[in-house]
Each structure stands twice: as structure tokens, then as C-alpha cells.
Amino acid sequence: LPVINTMMAKGAIPFDNKYSMWTVGIPMDDYQTKILEKASLVIAVGYDIIEYAPAKWHLTNADIIHIDTMPADINKNYQPEVEVVGNIPNSLERIMAKAARLAEPKQFLDIRQKMVDEHESYAHDMSFPVKPQKALIDCRRIMGKDDIVISDVGANKVWIARHYNCYEPNTCLISNGFATMGIAVPGAISAKLVHPDKKILAITGDAGFLMNVQEFETAYRLGTNFVTLIFNDCSYGLIKWKQDMQYGHHQYVDFTNPDFVKMAESFHAIGYRIEKTEDLLPTLRKAFQQDKPVIIDCPIDYEENMKLTAHLEHLMKTL
């Protein structure tokens, strides 16, 4: 069976498993939406209706099976044929004991290959400012399989959902559903306190970072040496993206930023600035060798936002 995960379930199945169809939930229809459209059955395991509304699934003629510790929240678009309520691992094991193997889902595996090819096409893109796809590929290269990324809320969250691939659960934490902007830095402090031996990387936009920048005093005082990567575009990037999609223009979303390197130093942290794309990977490597919190100021090419919108609009017509 092909498996799609929501943002909060990244890593529930390793991204390199041939049946992993990666992450659903960005504001636009994507490869995963097309897979759901083609599905004859959706098995929703631990599904939270708040995180990703069933109206966005675009199911055409599919039955739903609900497997969770709680009964389903029924609405117009989520009416399961069967509910399995109980301990989820136990339920899945007992179902598997009676299940028969299906034929390979070739049409879905073909879609997956397109996803993989698109993702890997950015691996050697050295244009500057850094493309978000390339930045996340470099982050994946530096992070171990069980190291932890904390995503802030903003345009960076869309790109992390789409391009930061996970091997294990709870290795990419995204505040989804209610979507708490400003979570990255305090979230990274908490993650480092719980997992002092793991690399902890906070990825945030400049706006999300500035919402809780004061917590760098806490980070230094507690001795938590994590790394914060700022996608710097001098804007509320996701709001700009949504304005451009809906109205064809944007306003009141741009602002100026402080010098993030000097700001890091004022908090007794270490600051780096990326001035060419080739520097990002070695800078990340160097940052994780420090015994203090680190801030990396990375200019990001958010012209890719509307390019992705146009790409996905075309994709939905051709898949």
C-alpha cells in the first residue's frame, strides 16, 4: 500500500521506503493530492481532522477506514465505512495477520519516481540566494537519521514539509493545525534539553525568528548548543505567497532586519552569514562543532514560492 503522511507524522514511514509517498498538507494541491484522487480506499491511521481537513483530500470514490485510539470526528467529507478503535499498533498487527498481499501499485510508484526526480534535481543548484529546496537538501546531508529538526511556521514550513525527508518519527517537528509561529527557537531549546547528544536544528523564517529571539538568552544560560538556520527574505513570506496567489500582488508584508550575526554575538552566541550557496553545507558542519548556540543568516530565494504554485497547477492537469 502507498503511504502518505501528514506534516506531524513525518518519519512514520522512512522516506526512502518505496511505498512512502511523502508529505501532504501544503496549501496547494501536490503529488499526494493526485494520489488521494486516484485512491479506491484510504486507511486513516491516527488521523487528526484539525491538522489536514478531509475536504482537501479530493477523494472521488474512495471508502475510508478509521484506525485510532478515539472514534472518528464525522463531518461531510469524513464518514468512515469502518472504525477500528483501540491501541493503534495492536490494531495494525491484528489486521496484518489477516491481510493478503496486494499487487504492486504501479501507477503510484510511477508518481513517486517523479517526486524523487524533482527533489534530486536541486541537489547541485548553486544559484544565490539559496533556493529553499537546495538548503533543505544540505540540511539533510548534515543531519543524522535520528537528529531533530524543529520547523517554525511560515513559508519555510511548506518547503520543509515538501523537501526535508525523514527516516524516523519525531525527527522533524512541525507545528501544524493551529500552527504556532515562533516555535522554532524555544522548541529547539526543549529538544536539546531532552536529547543533549543529538544535533538539533531550528529552521525558521526571519519573521518567526524575531517573534521569540529573546529566548537566545535562555539558550545560552542553559548551555544548549543547537543551530538556528534563518531563511532570510525580509518578509512575511507565507502571507506574501498567499496574497500573490489570491490577488496577484502583495502589500504590507515586507520589513527590514537587524544584523543577525551581531545579534547572535550580543546574546553570547555565534553568528554566521551565508554569502554564496557553496558555503551553506560547510557552515552547517562548522556550526554543529560549536559549544554555544549558533545563528546562521541564510538569504533565501522565495521567488521559488510562486514558481512552485505554477508548477503544481500544471502538474495537476498532467498527472
Side-chain angles (χ1 to χ4, degrees), residues 247-276:
Y247 304 113
H249 64 93
H250 57 265
Q251 58 185 11
Y252 308 123
V253 290
D254 296 322
F255 52 83
T256 59
N257 274 320
D259 185 321
F260 288 122
V261 173
K262 290 181 179 178
M263 176 176 279
E265 293 167 354
S266 73
F267 278 107
H268 309 287
I270 297 171
Y272 301 118
R273 181 174 292 109
I274 303 302
E275 297 186 351
K276 59 180 186 293

Side-chain angles (χ1 to χ4, degrees), residues 152-165:
D152 215 288
V153 173
N156 65 282
K157 183 180 84 166
V158 175
W159 291 108
I160 289 169
R162 212 169 180 270
H163 285 278
Y164 186 79
N165 293 318

Side-chain angles (χ1 to χ4, degrees), residues 165-180:
N165 293 318
C166 297
Y167 297 91
E168 297 181 13
N170 298 319
T171 56
C172 181
L173 304 182
I174 299 177
S175 178
N176 208 21
F178 290 128
T180 47

Side-chain angles (χ1 to χ4, degrees), residues 35-312:
I35 290 169
L36 287 167
E37 281 182 5
K38 296 175 181 290
S40 58
L41 171 69
V42 174
I43 303 174
V45 182
Y47 166 66
D48 183 349
I49 203 168
I50 297 298
E51 187 190 0
Y52 184 60
K56 298 178 180 179
W57 293 14
H58 300 327
L59 299 186
T60 52
N61 193 32
D63 292 329
I64 298 172
I65 295 175
H66 174 89
I67 302 177
D68 202 355
T69 56
M70 300 290 289
D73 291 317
I74 303 298
N75 72 11
K76 178 181 176 181
N77 300 104
Y78 193 74
Q79 299 187 29
E81 296 295 316
V82 177
E83 294 188 43
V84 181
V85 180
N87 177 274
I88 293 175
N90 180 260
S91 297
L92 293 175
E93 287 172 2
R94 293 173 69 177
I95 291 168
M96 280 294 295
K98 296 180 178 297
R101 185 174 296 278
L102 299 174
E104 287 284 85
K106 187 177 184 307
Q107 64 172 334
F108 299 127
L109 296 179
D110 290 344
I111 291 175
R112 184 185 191 281
Q113 188 57 52
K114 295 179 188 296
M115 293 158 48
V116 171
D117 292 344
E118 180 189 321
H119 174 76
E120 292 182 352
S121 69
Y122 294 95
H124 304 290
D125 190 322
M126 294 300 172
S127 58
F128 189 81
V130 184
K131 285 185 169 61
Q133 304 96 316
K134 167 62 173 169
L136 293 164
I137 288 172
D138 282 358
C139 289
R140 180 69 275 176
R141 286 171 173 164
I142 206 71
M143 300 293 280
K145 289 185 177 182
D146 64 346
D147 292 331
I148 299 172
V149 163
I150 311 289
S151 170
D152 215 288
V153 173
N156 65 282
K157 183 180 84 166
V158 175
W159 291 108
I160 289 169
R162 212 169 180 270
H163 285 278
Y164 186 79
N165 293 318
C166 297
Y167 297 91
E168 297 181 13
N170 298 319
T171 56
C172 181
L173 304 182
I174 299 177
S175 178
N176 208 21
F178 290 128
T180 47
M181 194 171 178
I183 192 177
V185 171
I189 295 171
S190 300
K192 192 64 179 180
L193 291 173
V194 175
H195 299 287
D197 297 327
K198 293 184 179 182
K199 293 192 193 80
I200 308 296
L201 174 62
I203 304 178
T204 177
D206 41 11
F209 175 78
L210 289 172
M211 286 189 171
N212 269 327
V213 66
Q214 76 281 355
E215 295 301 341
F216 259 83
E217 187 280 328
T218 308
Y220 174 74
R221 177 165 33 88
L222 296 179
T224 49
N225 58 326
F226 62 92
V227 175
T228 299
L229 177 63
I230 301 174
F231 282 9
N232 188 347
D233 71 324
C234 297
S235 179
Y236 289 93
L238 184 57
I239 305 304
K240 178 186 285 187
W241 192 351
K242 290 184 175 182
Q243 287 182 357
D244 285 341
M245 284 194 295
Q246 186 163 346
Y247 304 113
H249 64 93
H250 57 265
Q251 58 185 11
Y252 308 123
V253 290
D254 296 322
F255 52 83
T256 59
N257 274 320
D259 185 321
F260 288 122
V261 173
K262 290 181 179 178
M263 176 176 279
E265 293 167 354
S266 73
F267 278 107
H268 309 287
I270 297 171
Y272 301 118
R273 181 174 292 109
I274 303 302
E275 297 186 351
K276 59 180 186 293
T277 299
E278 293 87 339
D279 289 344
L280 179 56
L281 188 62
T283 301
L284 283 165
R285 186 174 292 113
K286 180 169 60 174
F288 279 111
Q289 295 170 351
Q290 308 306 316
D291 60 357
K292 295 181 179 180
V294 175
I295 295 172
I296 301 174
D297 177 5
C298 180
I300 204 76
D301 181 7
Y302 271 167
E303 288 189 8
E304 289 298 303
N305 294 351
M306 288 303 293
K307 289 180 183 178
L308 177 63
T309 297
H311 167 63
L312 293 179

